[in-house]
Amino acid sequence: MRDCPRLFISPETIAPMGAGAMLDLEPGQAHYLGTVLRQQAGAAIALFNARDGEWQGVIDHLRRDRCRIRLVEQTRAPVATLGVCLLFAPLKRDATETVIRMGTELGVTRFRPVVSERTNTHRINAARLQSIAVEAAEQCERLDVPTIDPLADLPVVLSQWPEDISLFAALERSNAPAVPVMARPGDCVLIGPEGGFSPREHDMLRARPFVRPLSLGDLVLRADTAALALVGAGLKAL
């Protein structure tokens, strides 16, 4: 367990971090440190993002929704997570949030929610999901936070797919090879909705040269379990 809190700082909101610089936190982060964690001036804190790496800082002052951090030294240089992109059909809220949280911990670099014929929900709370991804990155000590794309129709996504990027698709009850897969950083994995892909979608996926069908075995997995099993199998082979 870390000795101090760890917070993600969006590189779009601050200048590059440097020793001795003063950094004002967002009101929500200041409230979290002071009210939830009960931190005080002089306490250590770690700040990170993909551009600046991770920096050790000290709370200069903290009051209600205001907090200023003095940066001391860089403790980790920037390094990109070498993971896969996950395409998934949105599930019920808790299951979708589980996919985002655990996928972030497993190294997913990008989440692409897609609508298939059997998708149960056609809406996502993008802000909520991004917040979960940030919290998961803070907890698991990765330096970057995965992006979450807007919801898109699966046929549209496939029609615009780059031919040089493999898409490993979990096609249940098929004669596709079983995992583990030989995915490369930047490749993508696709999991269907509760109820699986329709026969027409099976045909559509198999007809695409960049799609590599896979089987997750003989057992019937929940959609969120299947997503994480496929991500984990792909990352092990990197």
Side-chain angles (χ1 to χ4, degrees):
M1 184 175 293
R2 295 186 62 87
D3 295 330
C4 65
R6 185 172 188 266
L7 295 179
F8 170 72
I9 304 296
S10 173
E12 299 176 356
T13 63
I14 63 167
M17 296 187 198
M22 306 296 287
L23 189 153
D24 292 318
L25 298 184
E26 297 290 333
Q29 293 175 318
H31 175 81
Y32 173 70
L33 286 179
T35 304
V36 179
L37 299 184
R38 299 190 179 279
Q39 299 291 303
Q40 299 178 351
I45 182 171
L47 306 175
F48 73 97
N49 59 46
R51 183 192 67 192
D52 301 310
E54 183 167 290
W55 283 75
Q56 188 74 30
V58 174
I59 298 177
D60 184 72
H61 71 261
L62 173 61
R63 170 177 281 186
R64 294 184 181 179
D65 61 350
R66 295 175 180 272
C67 181
R68 175 164 290 183
I69 305 295
R70 177 173 55 83
L71 299 177
V72 178
E73 62 178 348
Q74 186 184 57
T75 55
R76 294 171 62 191
V79 58
T81 299
L82 300 179
V84 295
C85 166
L86 173 62
L87 283 73
F88 71 102
L91 309 167
K92 295 176 182 177
R93 191 185 77 170
D94 289 348
T96 295
E97 293 181 358
T98 295
V99 169
I100 298 297
R101 182 179 67 256
M102 298 186 69
T104 299
E105 294 176 6
L106 287 169
V108 170
T109 57
R110 181 181 178 187
F111 293 96
R112 300 188 66 178
V114 293
V115 176
S116 62
E117 292 183 14
R118 295 174 178 171
T119 299
N120 289 333
T121 178
H122 291 65
R123 299 177 61 185
I124 62 171
N125 186 335
R128 167 68 178 164
L129 297 183
Q130 191 65 56
S131 176
I132 290 171
V134 168
E135 291 174 1
E138 291 173 343
Q139 184 275 326
C140 74
E141 300 193 8
R142 64 184 283 179
L143 292 178
D144 53 359
V145 175
T147 59
I148 301 176
D149 288 4
L151 194 62
D153 291 332
L154 178 59
V156 173
V157 171
L158 294 178
S159 69
Q160 300 171 348
W161 197 266
E163 296 289 336
D164 61 337
I165 295 180
S166 296
L167 177 60
F168 296 90
L171 301 182
E172 66 284 344
R173 297 184 177 87
S174 69
N175 58 358
V179 293
V181 300
M182 295 304 295
R184 303 165 301 174
D187 282 343
C188 299
V189 296
L190 169 66
I191 198 73
E194 296 157 336
F197 293 113
S198 69
R200 180 167 60 178
E201 288 171 332
H202 270 258
D203 294 339
M204 176 179 63
L205 288 165
R206 289 181 177 277
R208 303 284 178 169
F210 52 82
V211 172
R212 297 181 59 180
L214 291 170
S215 169
L216 292 176
D218 297 330
L219 299 180
V220 178
L221 304 180
R222 286 169 48 106
D224 51 342
T225 303
L228 299 170
L230 185 54
V231 168
L235 290 175
K236 288 176 184 177
L238 292 178

